Amino acid sequence: MPEAPRRAGPRRPADAPAETRLHGLNACLAVFRRRPDAIRKLWLSEDRVPVLREVMAWCASHRVGYRIVPREDLQRLSGSQHHEGVCMAVLPAPMPRLDAWLDGLAQGPSLALWLDGVGNPHNLGAILRSAAHFGVAGVLLPAGSGLAVSGAAARIAEGGAESVPLVEAGQPSSAFARLHAAGFTPIATVVRGGDDLYRTQLPDRLLLVMGAEGEGVDPAIAAACERRLGIPGTGAVESLNVSAATAVFVSEWARRHH
């Protein structure tokens, strides 16, 4: 079966898989709306035919295979019981390198996230959902992060994984210098000892550094940032998890700059 033509774009990493399987209704619909050429196969349950009829018609006209299958088959194909009645084999979204991403960035206020050691796909999905909702320009991944949009992350993101690019940022030292030259101020988020988010001026161009679950931001990276911020709370719990904290930080920046 011939492949649909591919759109030109930023390269995918050399070690990226040829395709990945996504599941979840909004995740799959977002791929169809934004980059249908990436679709390689569609599986769906009978009850999803009405809402996915347009996708099925596109697949038929572009010689992309699709099949209506039982829900137990969808669980096997997607590797999840939370498939929501649909699974797609798709090409991963291209990941721009930092310079290419900066070159394409519009002038004016902009917020980028730097994920330092974040590895949980559910947290990545929740971060991408918040990032899409509040207009984050990009999620920057340092060299060796290994993060990618898995089926679980895409489902949790509810389509946000198609709205916010993951960016290959490289080594922190060189990346921070390049971002600083582009007007970004790096600010690290911390659990203890940081300035109060709600009493701190947030720059127009902000690089917000979010730390790994449990360990937080690497001390060397935090030291390279101009400030450290925390979210004040009651003290009943030590902190929010990284995805919830990201939502709070980005919503506060968006409130002040949009």
Side-chain angles (χ1 to χ4, degrees), residues 13-63:
D15 58 352
E19 63 181 41
T20 188
R21 288 185 181 177
L22 303 184
H23 58 275
L25 182 61
N26 287 331
C28 291
L29 285 173
V31 173
F32 172 64
R33 290 169 183 146
R34 289 183 172 267
R35 51 187 191 103
D37 294 345
I39 301 171
R40 290 295 175 265
K41 187 83 173 181
L42 168 68
W43 301 272
L44 68 155
S45 58
E46 183 72 41
D47 60 304
R48 284 303 190 194
V49 169
V51 73
L52 294 171
R53 199 174 299 279
E54 185 182 358
V55 185
M56 295 164 65
W58 187 94
C59 288
S61 65
H62 290 77
R63 299 184 180 181

Side-chain angles (χ1 to χ4, degrees), residues 194-247:
D195 297 327
D196 185 332
L197 166 65
Y198 303 112
R199 297 175 180 272
T200 301
Q201 183 176 357
L202 299 178
D204 286 350
R205 287 202 155 197
L206 171 60
L207 175 66
L208 189 64
V209 181
M210 305 301 303
E213 302 90 347
E215 294 81 10
V217 176
D218 182 274
I221 293 178
C225 295
E226 296 195 12
R227 304 194 73 159
R228 280 147 292 284
L229 285 184
I231 301 170
T234 64
V237 294
E238 183 180 30
S239 65
L240 299 173
N241 87 344
V242 64
S243 61
T246 299

Side-chain angles (χ1 to χ4, degrees), residues 45-191:
S45 58
E46 183 72 41
D47 60 304
R48 284 303 190 194
V49 169
V51 73
L52 294 171
R53 199 174 299 279
E54 185 182 358
V55 185
M56 295 164 65
W58 187 94
C59 288
S61 65
H62 290 77
R63 299 184 180 181
V64 172
Y66 70 86
R67 288 182 60 195
I68 298 172
V69 298
R71 283 187 164 262
E72 53 267 27
D73 285 1
L74 282 170
Q75 182 169 340
R76 175 180 55 80
L77 289 161
S78 66
S80 172
Q81 61 182 333
H82 305 295
H83 50 72
E84 300 177 9
V86 59
C87 179
M88 277 182 178
V90 303
L91 297 177
M95 286 181 62
R97 288 181 171 175
L98 181 61
D99 283 343
W101 175 77
L102 285 170
D103 289 343
L105 205 59
Q107 298 296 315
S110 188
L111 172 60
L113 299 177
W114 180 285
L115 301 188
D116 176 37
V118 175
N120 184 295
H122 292 87
N123 278 335
L124 174 61
I127 287 169
L128 288 170
R129 184 174 183 175
S130 295
H133 184 78
F134 291 108
V136 171
V139 173
L140 278 53
L141 305 180
S145 77
L147 267 182
V149 177
S150 64
R155 181 185 67 83
I156 296 294
E158 291 284 351
E162 296 298 320
S163 299
V164 182
L166 297 182
V167 180
E168 291 185 75
Q171 296 298 330
S173 56
S174 57
F176 276 34
R178 182 71 182 89
L179 287 158
H180 188 270
F184 281 88
T185 300
I187 293 180
T189 61
V190 295
V191 173

